[in-house]
């Protein structure tokens, strides 16, 4: 399993990420495994969107520079805050991945305000420090001012070595060639040729400067101690932040490893079955990639023992290793190189025999003894949910005796319902158990023609070991095979016959495939011609239906128009005015439910007051009203929408819209409108065409057209009526 962890470790960026990886504990708790996989999916969303650059953490070491560590810590927190911003920028909730307490942010700001990039403490670190440094700068300016006079005097005397101010032993001095009388000597050069003298003019200023320096150092120590104490108090919060970075690093490495092996999250549980669909040995998948051969097999719960046979070097041991590694990966919630449809039985413990450590053999244990010890543990252990993996079963003892013992052991595993996968070459075991209930037989096949193993596992097959053929392929001298017993030579002839049969089977398969393709081509051509005939027939039917619908629509339109005209004529006749209209009386309007009081006349038009509003209509549209109508004047509402002389038929069916358009136009004509609009929308143009077809057959329509784009364009039809 360490090979898998090491492969993941290659993708980690920090030491904390590596430590997190190797600290993971296996579990057989299905719910916990599922929770971990769900957490992986949550982190996976980040790494699919962005590659994150993660900072490495280091501990504070006693005796090392505190200031240097605080500079590192400042930069570390700055990188973590950058990560937080990057996670937010890709649309994820950073709080789910990073725990950064407010105290950490505040501490970072304090570090930022305290130290510059060289590790010097800034003036703004405290008000006291700022004041001390301002006084120091002022004092130094005074020293520069007062040292000029003695510098000039020493220059005139010719004993001044240069016009520089030197800081020696905590005092500002001048460098002289000789030592004058009554001069204050501070220090001298190693050669003894230069003397550093403190002029009397700056003695008090030097003392003051030195005192300010001591105060400055004391204030800096106080600031550093305060920051250190705050750092100590925040250790838990800092470690929690580091833990979050370690998890990010681990899941980032796991994401990259999963992509390398084309990993998926399979189905898993306590049901005692193993269903492998396009599953791979994880280490071989990394090493061989596309050349790696997948496993496809169902070891169902009805069978307790899977018997694996096949040639030497055919892949039996790798298969057992793959089962072991894949289950261990799932117990660590690592995606596996298998289809998500696969199902893995999760045992509490896995017993393995045939994988002994070389050190134990060197201690004096025989391989056969170690094998039996592991089998004994598996049988005696009372833990439920066990899986037993047996490699080279009974291959390290007498074949005859070992065969009998092997049959008995495997039957015991079957009777106790212990899930077991056993790889063996023992012919006695194969022959005795191939038809036994509770045993599922399988084989890694051999390509007889090429004399190469296929590494493919097939159920319900038994395979010999092909030891002689494999030995020949390995290049043993021909003289060895001449000394084979007669029985072995007979077996070799059988293998040769089998090889010929396999070759003929391949030829038959090729011929069968050729016939299948020819059949498909004939069927394809037939279907193509049939489709063309059907399409032609359907086109003829559509044309006939269109013609029928057109004739039917014209007939219906004529009938509707005739009924409306008859109804209107009848209504006009019933309510036609018997005498000239009288101002002040109440009249109705033909074709509507509206009634109103006649308040005046304009030529051939009457002016009515309907519900407080004036309305002009032709005199010919006035009708007599009943007494009940005069008492309660009201405008009856239409069931169809008619706002501002506009009818909307958008979204309606053709049949419903057709009758509504006709009624709308006749009512509008009866109301004395000169122009109306029908809103039908653009769409596929079905309703627009319907409007055109209807109004072409209405005699009082003078013109129709689409308005400008800002008034509806092609989605609206304007209809003008002939003048009455």
């Amino acid at each position: 399993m360490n090979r898998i962890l090491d492969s993941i470790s290659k993708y980690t960026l920090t030491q904390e990420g590596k430590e997190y990886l190797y600290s993971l504990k296996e579990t057989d708790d299905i719910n916990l495994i599922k929770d971990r996989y769900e957490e992986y999916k949550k982190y996976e969303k980040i790494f699919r969107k962005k590659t994150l650059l993660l900072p490495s953490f280091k501990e504070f070491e006693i005796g090392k520079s505190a200031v240097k560590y605080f500079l590192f810590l400042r930069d570390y927190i700055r990188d973590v805050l950058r990560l937080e911003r990057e996670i937010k920028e890709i649309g994820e909730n950073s709080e789910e991945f990073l725990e950064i307490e407010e105290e950490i942010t505040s501490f970072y700001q304090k570090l930022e305000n305290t130290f510059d990039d060289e590790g010097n403490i800034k003036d703004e670190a405290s008000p006291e420090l700022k004041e001390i440094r301002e006084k120091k700068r002022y004092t130094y300016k005074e020293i520069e001012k007062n040292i000029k006079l003695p510098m000039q005097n020493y220059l005139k005397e010719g004993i001044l070595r240069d016009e520089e101010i030197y800081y020696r032993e905590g005092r500002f001095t001048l460098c002289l060639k000789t030592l004058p009388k009554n001069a204050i000597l501070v220090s001298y050069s190693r050669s003894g040729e230069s003397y550093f003298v403190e002029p009397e003019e700056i003695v008090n200023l030097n003392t003051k400067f030195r005192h300010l320096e001591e105060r400055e150092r004391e204030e800096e120590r106080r600031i550093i101690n305060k920051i250190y104490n705050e750092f100590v108090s925040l250790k838990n919060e800092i470690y929690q932040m580091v833990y979050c970075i370690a998890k990010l690093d681990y899941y980032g490495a796991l994401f990259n490893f999963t992509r390398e092996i084309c990993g998926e999250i399979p189905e898993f549980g306590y049901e005692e079955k193993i269903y492998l669909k396009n599953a791979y040995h994880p280490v071989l998948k990394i090493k061989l990639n596309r050349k790696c051969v997948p496993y496809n097999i169902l070891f169902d719960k009805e069978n307790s023992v899977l018997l694996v046979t096949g040639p030497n070097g055919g892949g039996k041991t790798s298969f057992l290793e793959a089962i072991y590694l894949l289950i261990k990966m799932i117990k660590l919630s690592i995606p596996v190189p298998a289809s998500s449809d696969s199902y893995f039985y999760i045992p509490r413990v896995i017993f393995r025999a045939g994988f002994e450590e070389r050190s134990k053999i060197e201690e004096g244990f025989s391989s056969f003894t170690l094998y039996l010890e592991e089998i004994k543990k598996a049988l005696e252990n009372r833990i439920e949910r066990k899986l037993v993996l047996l490699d080279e079963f009974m291959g390290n003892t007498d074949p005859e005796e070992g065969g009998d013992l092997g049959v008995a052991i495997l039957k015991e595993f079957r009777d106790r319902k212990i899930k077991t996968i056993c790889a063996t070459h023992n012919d006695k075991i194969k022959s005795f158990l191939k038809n036994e209930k509770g045993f599922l037989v399988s084989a890694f096949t051999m390509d007889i023609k090429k004399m190469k193993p296929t590494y493919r596992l097939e159920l319900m097959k038994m395979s010999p070991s092909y030891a002689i053929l494999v030995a020949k392929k390995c290049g043993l001298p021909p003289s060895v095979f001449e000394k084979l017993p007669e029985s072995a030579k007979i077996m070799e002839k059988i293998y040769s016959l089998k090889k010929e049969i396999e070759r003929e089977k391949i030829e038959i398969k090729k011929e069968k495939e050729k016939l299948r393709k020819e059949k498909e081509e004939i069927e394809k051509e037939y279907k193509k011609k049939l489709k063309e005939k059907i399409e032609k027939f359907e086109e003829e039917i559509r044309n006939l239906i269109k013609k029928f619908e057109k004739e039917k629509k014209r007939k219906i339109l004529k009938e509707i128009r005739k009924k409306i005209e008859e109804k209107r004529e009848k209504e006009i006749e019933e309510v036609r005015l018997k005498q000239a209209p009288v101002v002040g009386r109440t009249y109705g309007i033909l074709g509507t439910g509206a009634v109103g009081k006649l308040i005046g006349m304009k030529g051939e038009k009457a002016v009515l007051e309907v519900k407080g509003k004036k309305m002009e209509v032709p005199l010919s549209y006035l009708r007599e009203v009943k007494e009940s109508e005069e008492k309660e004047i009201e405008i009856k509402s239409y069931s169809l929408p008619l706002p501002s002389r506009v009818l909307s038929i958008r979204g309606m069916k053709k049949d419903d819209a057709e009758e509504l358009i006709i009624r709308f136009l006749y009512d509008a004509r009866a109301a004395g409108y000169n122009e109306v609009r029908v809103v039908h929308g653009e769409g596929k143009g079905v309703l627009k065409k319907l409007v055109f077809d209807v109004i072409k057959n209405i005699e009082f329509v003078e013109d129709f057209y689409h308005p400008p784009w800002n008034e509806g364009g092609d989605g609206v039809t304007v209809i003008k009526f002939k003048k009455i």
Side-chain angles (χ1 to χ4, degrees):
M1 191 59 204
N2 284 336
R3 290 178 294 177
I4 304 297
L5 298 180
D6 292 344
S7 296
I8 299 172
S9 176
K10 290 188 303 183
Y11 291 106
T12 56
L13 302 174
T14 69
Q15 183 60 33
E16 303 80 66
K18 282 186 175 65
E19 290 172 1
Y20 185 93
L21 166 65
Y22 288 105
S23 69
L24 289 172
K25 302 295 181 186
E26 289 181 16
T27 180
D28 61 340
D29 184 330
I30 298 300
N31 292 326
L32 182 55
I33 295 172
K34 287 180 179 177
D35 289 343
R36 286 176 175 178
Y37 271 134
E38 286 302 316
E39 187 172 52
Y40 167 72
K41 288 179 185 177
K42 183 177 74 172
Y43 279 84
E44 182 188 36
K45 288 192 293 184
I46 291 180
F47 296 105
R48 284 193 181 279
K49 295 177 182 178
K50 189 172 182 66
T51 300
L52 298 178
L53 186 63
L54 304 175
S56 290
F57 184 74
K58 64 182 180 183
E59 295 282 354
F60 177 73
E61 297 180 44
I62 302 297
K64 295 291 180 73
S65 169
V67 172
K68 285 184 178 179
Y69 184 76
F70 291 145
L71 285 178
F72 157 76
L73 193 58
R74 180 198 65 181
D75 294 342
Y76 182 85
I77 298 172
R78 179 192 293 155
D79 286 338
V80 175
L81 293 172
R82 169 185 55 78
L83 280 173
E84 183 182 44
R85 289 194 302 273
E86 288 179 357
I87 291 171
K88 286 178 180 177
E89 285 169 2
I90 60 175
E92 297 295 333
N93 183 5
S94 62
E95 293 178 1
E96 292 184 21
F97 308 98
L98 290 172
E99 290 185 30
I100 308 173
E101 302 293 338
E102 289 184 12
E103 292 84 355
I104 295 288
T105 308
S106 176
F107 181 61
Y108 162 73
Q109 200 58 53
K110 187 168 290 185
L111 292 174
E112 191 72 43
N113 295 335
T114 300
F115 302 103
D116 63 18
D117 290 339
E118 283 73 40
N120 301 311
I121 298 176
K122 297 179 180 178
D123 292 354
E124 294 76 15
S126 75
E128 292 81 2
L129 184 63
K130 186 175 182 181
E131 182 184 356
I132 291 168
R133 287 181 175 175
E134 284 177 352
K135 286 181 180 179
K136 270 185 68 181
R137 284 190 285 271
Y138 177 77
T139 303
Y140 182 73
K141 285 181 181 178
E142 288 294 305
I143 290 171
E144 283 185 320
K145 180 180 174 183
N146 286 279
I147 206 171
K148 285 182 180 178
L149 180 61
M151 186 185 289
Q152 290 174 358
N153 291 335
Y154 290 139
L155 185 63
K156 287 177 183 178
E157 292 176 18
I159 61 173
L160 184 69
R161 194 165 290 280
D162 55 53
E163 296 182 21
E164 295 291 328
I165 300 174
Y166 293 90
Y167 194 61
R168 290 286 187 276
E169 306 296 332
R171 317 290 287 184
F172 290 101
T173 64
L174 294 173
C175 184
L176 303 181
K177 299 175 184 177
T178 60
L179 185 65
K181 293 180 180 180
N182 303 323
I184 303 172
L185 178 64
V186 175
S187 68
Y188 50 84
S189 65
R190 289 182 181 179
S191 63
E193 296 180 356
S194 297
Y195 303 90
F196 295 95
V197 174
E198 179 183 12
E200 292 181 357
E201 291 85 348
I202 63 168
V203 170
N204 292 335
L205 289 171
N206 263 339
T207 303
K208 183 179 179 181
F209 189 87
R210 190 168 186 173
H211 175 67
L212 288 170
E213 265 196 335
E214 289 174 358
R215 285 182 60 196
E216 180 184 28
R217 283 194 292 271
E218 184 62 32
E219 180 61 18
E220 285 178 347
R221 279 195 294 272
R222 188 191 68 79
I223 290 169
I224 291 172
N225 285 337
K226 186 179 178 182
I227 288 175
Y228 179 78
N229 291 333
E230 191 170 349
F231 159 70
V232 171
S233 69
L234 288 173
K235 268 194 172 182
N236 289 337
E237 288 81 358
I238 291 171
Y239 288 149
Q240 183 59 36
M241 180 175 63
V242 173
Y243 175 76
C244 292
I245 296 298
K247 279 186 75 173
L248 270 171
D249 191 17
Y250 163 69
Y251 280 114
L254 186 57
F255 171 74
N256 287 312
F257 172 76
T258 301
R259 285 203 302 184
E260 181 184 6
I261 64 169
C262 302
E264 296 280 353
I265 299 173
E267 297 293 325
F268 51 88
Y270 299 141
E271 187 179 353
E272 293 187 349
K273 71 173 184 179
I274 296 175
Y275 172 43
L276 302 182
K277 183 177 179 182
N278 291 328
Y280 296 87
H281 188 301
V283 177
L284 293 179
K285 179 65 175 174
I286 296 169
K287 188 177 179 180
L288 302 176
N289 198 2
R290 292 183 180 179
K291 293 181 180 178
C292 191
V293 178
Y295 304 117
N296 290 280
I297 188 171
L298 173 60
F299 181 17
D300 57 17
K301 60 184 179 182
E302 304 303 322
N303 294 292
S304 295
V305 179
L306 174 64
L307 201 62
V308 183
T309 63
N312 291 287
K316 297 186 297 300
T317 301
S318 294
F319 174 68
L320 294 177
E321 280 185 351
I323 295 292
Y324 176 75
L325 291 174
L326 292 171
I327 292 173
K328 298 277 277 186
M329 288 171 73
I330 293 170
K331 284 187 169 186
L332 287 170
S333 298
I334 298 172
V336 296
S339 167
S340 58
D341 295 336
S342 300
Y343 181 91
F344 288 86
Y345 164 55
I346 304 299
R348 183 168 292 178
V349 62
I350 301 176
F351 295 94
R352 297 194 301 155
F355 304 87
E356 293 84 5
E357 294 179 12
R358 177 58 55 186
S359 59
K360 289 187 177 181
I361 295 174
E362 289 170 356
E363 287 174 13
F365 293 95
S366 75
S367 59
F368 185 61
T369 304
L370 289 171
Y371 208 109
L372 294 178
E373 282 291 328
E374 192 69 11
I375 290 171
K376 179 184 173 185
K377 282 186 203 174
L379 290 171
E380 289 182 348
N381 194 303
R382 294 183 179 180
I383 293 175
E384 294 183 355
R385 291 193 287 108
K386 293 181 281 190
L387 176 65
V388 179
L389 302 177
L390 305 172
D391 191 27
E392 298 293 343
F393 187 54
M394 294 298 145
N396 44 14
T397 188
D398 176 71
E400 190 68 23
E401 234 183 318
D404 292 334
L405 179 60
V407 168
I409 290 171
L410 292 178
K411 283 185 176 180
E412 183 69 13
F413 280 127
R414 184 223 25 213
D415 294 343
R416 295 195 187 193
K417 297 188 182 305
I418 297 173
K419 210 70 175 172
T420 305
I421 303 177
C422 168
T424 186
H425 289 290
N426 191 292
D427 287 332
K428 199 166 191 179
I429 293 173
K430 295 177 193 177
S431 59
F432 267 85
L433 299 179
K434 63 181 179 180
N435 296 317
E436 275 281 326
K437 186 178 180 182
F439 286 84
L440 183 65
V441 297
S442 64
F444 278 94
T445 56
M446 171 78 94
D447 186 335
I448 302 296
K449 186 177 180 181
K450 296 181 180 178
M451 281 307 300
K452 286 184 178 180
T454 64
Y455 303 109
R456 297 192 181 279
L457 183 61
E458 296 184 23
L459 289 176
M460 310 311 291
K461 275 193 176 183
M462 281 282 191
S463 174
S465 299
Y466 295 107
I468 297 171
L469 294 177
V470 172
K472 283 186 175 180
K473 191 172 186 303
C474 289
L476 290 182
S479 56
V480 172
F481 302 104
E482 291 172 2
K483 297 176 178 64
L484 287 170
E486 194 62 33
S487 58
K489 292 178 180 178
I490 291 169
M491 286 301 298
E492 188 176 2
K493 288 180 181 179
I494 291 171
Y495 290 153
S496 297
L497 287 171
K498 188 174 180 182
K499 182 177 178 180
E500 185 63 26
I501 291 168
E502 289 292 332
R503 187 189 64 76
E504 289 181 2
K505 277 172 69 177
I506 291 169
E507 291 297 324
I508 291 168
K509 188 176 179 181
K510 285 181 180 178
E511 189 64 29
K512 188 177 178 182
E513 180 65 18
K514 183 180 176 183
L515 291 171
R516 185 187 65 78
K517 286 182 178 179
E518 288 178 359
K519 181 185 174 186
E520 283 181 356
E521 286 295 323
I522 293 168
E523 287 179 350
K524 187 177 177 181
E525 186 64 26
Y526 172 74
K527 286 178 181 178
K528 182 181 176 183
K529 290 181 179 179
L530 183 62
K531 185 181 177 184
E532 288 174 356
K533 287 182 179 180
I534 290 170
E535 286 176 352
K536 186 177 179 181
F537 178 68
E538 286 177 345
E539 182 65 27
E540 290 176 0
I541 290 173
R542 282 194 293 271
N543 290 334
L544 287 171
I545 290 171
K546 282 181 183 178
K547 187 176 179 182
F548 174 75
E549 289 291 335
K550 194 171 182 181
E551 293 297 326
K552 182 182 174 184
K553 187 163 62 176
R554 286 178 181 173
K555 186 177 179 182
I556 291 170
L557 184 61
K558 286 179 182 179
E559 289 177 359
I560 292 171
R561 187 169 64 188
K562 184 178 178 183
K563 286 179 181 178
I564 291 173
E565 287 292 342
E566 288 174 355
K567 185 177 179 183
R568 183 168 175 273
E569 287 299 326
K570 185 179 179 182
E571 187 184 55
I572 291 170
E573 188 61 36
E574 287 176 356
V575 299
R576 193 181 299 277
L577 294 179
K578 304 296 188 291
Q579 56 186 13
V582 178
V583 175
R585 283 190 60 185
T586 300
Y587 294 94
I589 303 172
L590 287 174
T592 72
V595 294
K597 187 177 181 181
L598 181 62
I599 59 174
M601 287 180 283
K602 291 182 180 179
E604 293 298 319
K605 289 188 177 181
V607 182
L608 295 176
E609 183 179 348
V610 180
K611 275 204 169 185
K613 294 183 180 180
K614 291 182 180 181
M615 181 182 290
E616 293 183 9
V617 298
L619 287 170
S620 60
Y621 277 72
L622 294 182
R623 65 176 178 81
E624 298 286 353
V625 297
K626 299 175 183 178
E627 189 176 344
S628 59
E629 288 182 290
E630 291 185 31
K631 291 178 181 178
E632 186 178 353
I633 299 174
E634 63 178 0
I635 299 178
K636 296 179 181 176
S637 62
Y638 280 100
S639 58
L640 57 88
L642 190 52
S644 301
R645 303 181 185 185
V646 175
L647 171 66
S648 176
I649 59 169
R650 284 192 298 185
M652 294 180 68
K653 294 181 180 178
K654 281 180 66 177
D655 293 343
D656 296 338
E658 187 173 29
E659 187 174 347
L660 195 59
I661 295 166
I662 295 168
R663 185 176 172 189
F664 169 71
L665 294 175
Y666 275 90
D667 285 348
R669 176 66 168 179
Y673 298 154
N674 295 323
E675 177 184 298
V676 291
R677 296 187 177 213
V678 177
V679 180
H680 44 70
E682 294 183 26
K684 295 182 179 179
V686 176
L687 292 177
K688 179 168 71 173
K689 186 175 181 304
L690 174 67
V691 173
F692 287 3
D693 290 343
V694 170
I695 60 183
K696 282 177 184 177
N697 296 308
I698 295 179
E699 57 188 14
F700 55 80
V701 172
E702 183 177 40
D703 192 14
F704 58 91
Y705 55 87
H706 295 308
W709 65 269
N710 58 342
E711 293 181 19
D714 289 349
V716 176
T717 297
V718 179
I719 304 164
K720 285 187 171 292
F721 296 152
K722 294 177 182 177
K723 292 183 180 180
I724 299 173

